[in-house]
Amino acid sequence: MTLLDIFPSLRTTMTPRLDPALWPVTTSHDDRGRISIGGVALDDIADQYGTPTYVLDEADVRHRCRTYRAAFPEAEIAYAGKALLIRAVADWITREGLSLDVCSAGELAIALSAGVDPRRIILHGNAKSATELRTAVDAGVGRIVVDSLTEIRLLASVAPRRQKVMIRVTPGIDIHGHHAVTTGVDDQKFGFPLSHNQTGEAARLVLEQPNLQLVGLHCHLGSQIADVECFRSAIARLVGQMAYIRSDHGVILTTLDIGGGHAVPYRPGDPQTDPAELAALVDDALDEACARNRFPRPQIVLEPGRAVVARAGVTLYRVVSIKTIPGGRTFVSVDGGMSDNPRVALYGARYDAAVANRHPTGRHTPMTVVGRFCEAGDILAVDVSLPVDLHPGDVIAVPCTGAYHHSLASSYNGVGRPPIVAVRNGNVRELVRRESVADLMGREIGI
Ligand SMILES: Cc1ncc(COP(=O)(O)O)c(C=O)c1O
C-alpha cells in the first residue's frame, strides 16, 4: 500500500513530476522546489536575463549526438541546422562527430564562423540563388543537394572545380503528418519525383556536367515520424533508383541520404523515434534492397534536427495576468508567445508547461497559457495542469523548445527576439543576446 492509497487527497495536492522524456537530461529540483537545468535554477536565469529566455542544456545536445553516433557507428549523422543553428550548437555537434546540413548562406556563415570544416557541410534548399551557390562552392562545401534542373545548370555554371552533388528525390511516401511538414510525396515543391523518370533525367543532366560529381541520392520524408517503417520503403525505392542509374549510365552512387524527421515528444505520452530501433530497420532495409538490386551497400547519411536539440531547450516566461472566463477556460497570459514559438499557430503543436520558480504547492487545475501578441491564436500551451495559486510574477517553463523556436522566431508586434543562454555544470552563459528596440530601429533607414 502506498501513501496515495492511504491519503487519496495527496493525488490532487502533490506536485506533478516532470516527465523525463520531455525535459533536458540534467533537469532536477533544488531544495526550494525550483526547477534547475545544468545545475542552474531557472528562476535565477529569469532574474538575470529577463523573460522570455531560451535556455539550452549543452549536456542534452551532446547526449543526443552520442546516442545517434552509438546507434549508427557507420553512418554519417548530419545535424539539420534549420532546427537551431548558432555557433555554439555548430561547435558542440561537430565536436561530437556530427556533420552539418545548412540551407542558406546565412546558416553557412554561422557554421564557418564556428570553425566547421566545410567538407562536412551539406547545402540544401529548393531555391538557392546563384550567389548562395557560388558562396558555397567557394567555401568548399562538401556536398550540394540539387533540387531542380535549373539549379543543376546554375551550379555547373558557377563551380570553379569539381563539386560533389546529391539529387533530392521525392519517393512518393506519405507520412500522414501535418501537410506543412510532409515532404516525401510527389506533388510538392521539393526535389524530383521518382515517377515519370524525373530523377533519371536529373541524374543524366548532372552526369553531363564535367565539373559536377554525382555521389548520391537524398530524400526527406517529413517531420515528427514516429513510425519508422516508412524509411524501409524509402530505402527500397532509392536503392532501386540507384540501380537504374547504374544500368543507364554505368555509374555507381555511393551515398544514400535518408533525411531527418525523427519524432520527439512535446507532451507526456507522445511517441518518439528510438535511434536504435531506426538503426536496426535501416540496416535490414539496406540488406533487402541491396540484395534485390545486387547493388553495393551505400554509405547512409541521416539528418536529424529536432531530435538533436528539441529536448535540450526550455523557454522561460513570466506570468503577467490570470483570467478565468465564467463557464470557460482559465487563461494565463505570459510575456512571450507566438513570436518566440510560432509552432502552435503554424502546426497546431501542443506543449506542456510547469511552474519553475517554486514548489508548486496546492491543487492543480487545467489552464491555457497564452502569449502577449495581438492574435487570438497566440497560444502556447492548452489545458496544462498548473497550481491554482499561480500568480503574476511566477516563472513558467515550457519544455521541448530547442528546435524550430529561435530559428522560426520573429519580431512581431515590435517585440525583440529572446536571448539564448546555455547551461552546463552549474554555469550559465549567454550565447545570443536579446533583440532590443534599438536593434529593430537600427533597420529603419528611411521615412
Ligand atoms: C532536408 C531536410 N533534412 C532534415 C530536416 C530535419 O528535420 P527534423 O528536424 O524534423 O529532423 C529537414 C527539416 O525540414 C529537412 O528539410
Side-chain angles (χ1 to χ4, degrees):
M1 186 170 278
T2 67
L3 266 183
L4 287 177
D5 297 321
I6 302 167
F7 303 110
S9 63
L10 278 178
R11 283 185 200 282
T12 50
T13 56
M14 69 186 294
T15 306
R17 302 241 330 258
L18 302 179
D19 183 343
L22 273 54
W23 292 79
V25 286
T26 64
T27 305
S28 64
H29 284 94
D30 70 7
D31 47 9
R32 290 158 58 188
R34 305 182 303 170
I35 301 172
S36 96
I37 293 174
V40 185
L42 297 181
D43 182 33
D44 291 342
I45 296 177
D47 282 348
Q48 189 176 350
Y49 296 96
T51 47
T53 285
Y54 300 124
V55 180
L56 203 54
D57 182 15
E58 178 176 344
D60 192 279
V61 175
R62 290 181 180 271
H63 164 71
R64 306 293 167 191
C65 295
R66 286 174 198 173
T67 305
Y68 270 99
R69 288 252 37 91
F72 292 92
E74 280 157 23
E76 177 182 351
I77 311 295
Y79 165 64
K82 63 202 66 154
L84 170 62
L85 195 62
I86 55 174
R87 291 188 310 169
V89 170
D91 179 59
W92 302 339
I93 61 104
T94 44
R95 283 181 197 277
E96 294 296 338
L98 273 56
S99 43
L100 179 63
D101 133 19
V102 300
C103 64
S104 70
E107 286 190 354
L108 177 59
I110 293 170
L112 294 175
S113 83
V116 178
D117 180 347
R119 290 170 300 182
R120 295 176 64 188
I121 296 178
I122 301 173
L123 176 66
H124 281 281
N126 66 305
K128 307 174 201 80
S129 68
T131 312
E132 265 172 334
L133 289 171
R134 197 171 298 116
T135 307
V137 293
D138 287 349
V141 158
R143 282 147 294 172
I144 295 181
V145 180
V146 291
D147 203 281
S148 70
L149 297 178
T150 310
E151 185 184 62
I152 295 169
R153 293 190 188 94
L154 189 58
L155 179 58
S157 73
V158 300
R161 68 186 94 82
R162 204 127 197 267
Q163 174 63 51
K164 288 186 180 158
V165 160
M166 288 192 277
I167 293 174
R168 176 145 182 180
V169 175
T170 43
I173 293 169
D174 191 348
I175 59 158
H176 302 291
H178 191 283
H179 66 88
V181 291
T182 299
T183 50
V185 293
D186 282 357
D187 189 19
Q188 44 81 42
K189 69 172 188 169
F190 291 109
F192 297 90
L194 285 177
S195 52
H196 304 99
N197 197 32
Q198 293 215 335
T199 305
E201 200 187 329
R204 182 190 50 73
L205 186 59
V206 174
L207 291 166
E208 280 171 6
Q209 315 302 318
N211 57 349
L212 301 186
Q213 181 188 357
L214 182 58
V215 294
L217 298 184
H218 170 281
C219 70
H220 173 71
L221 303 180
S223 287
Q224 284 294 76
I225 304 171
D227 179 1
V228 292
E229 269 303 314
C230 55
F231 288 105
R232 188 188 299 281
S233 322
I235 289 170
R237 293 181 195 185
L238 266 66
V239 170
Q241 182 65 38
M242 288 163 121
Y244 283 130
I245 293 172
R246 175 184 59 186
S247 63
D248 287 353
H249 304 285
V251 172
I252 295 180
L253 304 187
T254 52
T255 306
L256 176 52
D257 186 333
I258 56 172
H262 313 156
V264 302
Y266 284 92
R267 307 235 307 174
D270 282 355
Q272 60 183 310
T273 305
D274 173 8
E277 185 200 343
L278 177 61
L281 179 134
V282 167
D283 205 38
D284 202 39
L286 266 184
D287 277 349
E288 260 173 57
C290 291
R292 188 173 328 113
N293 295 282
R294 295 180 193 286
F295 197 84
R297 224 175 148 86
Q299 156 89 349
I300 287 287
V301 182
L302 295 115
E303 298 175 345
R306 186 187 318 262
V308 175
V309 291
R311 288 160 287 198
V314 168
T315 307
L316 306 182
Y317 303 97
R318 220 173 263 282
V319 175
V320 176
S321 65
I322 301 169
K323 190 191 280 180
T324 299
I325 306 298
R329 282 176 286 172
T330 297
F331 291 99
V332 178
S333 291
V334 298
D335 53 4
M338 65 188 300
S339 77
D340 60 78
N341 179 6
R343 293 193 64 260
V344 179
L346 275 175
Y347 311 120
R350 305 282 306 263
Y351 285 85
D352 203 9
V355 176
N357 58 310
R358 63 184 171 93
H359 212 297
T361 46
R363 198 166 56 81
H364 280 61
T365 191
M367 299 187 194
T368 293
V369 182
V370 296
R372 56 169 293 174
F373 296 91
C374 303
E375 307 253 349
D378 175 22
I379 292 169
L380 286 169
V382 178
D383 285 345
V384 287
S385 178
L386 290 168
V388 289
D389 66 349
L390 189 73
H391 51 75
D394 272 338
V395 176
I396 297 275
V398 176
C400 211
T401 59
Y404 304 104
H405 281 238
H406 169 76
S407 57
L408 281 175
S410 73
S411 53
Y412 182 46
N413 281 178
V415 175
R417 287 169 288 182
I420 302 181
V421 302
V423 287
R424 181 180 175 218
N425 295 337
N427 296 311
V428 53
R429 66 189 196 283
E430 195 171 17
L431 302 176
V432 175
R433 69 166 170 77
R434 187 180 301 283
E435 192 172 32
S436 64
V437 173
D439 290 326
L440 301 178
M441 292 305 296
R443 300 182 64 221
E444 294 259 354
I445 53 169
I447 197 154

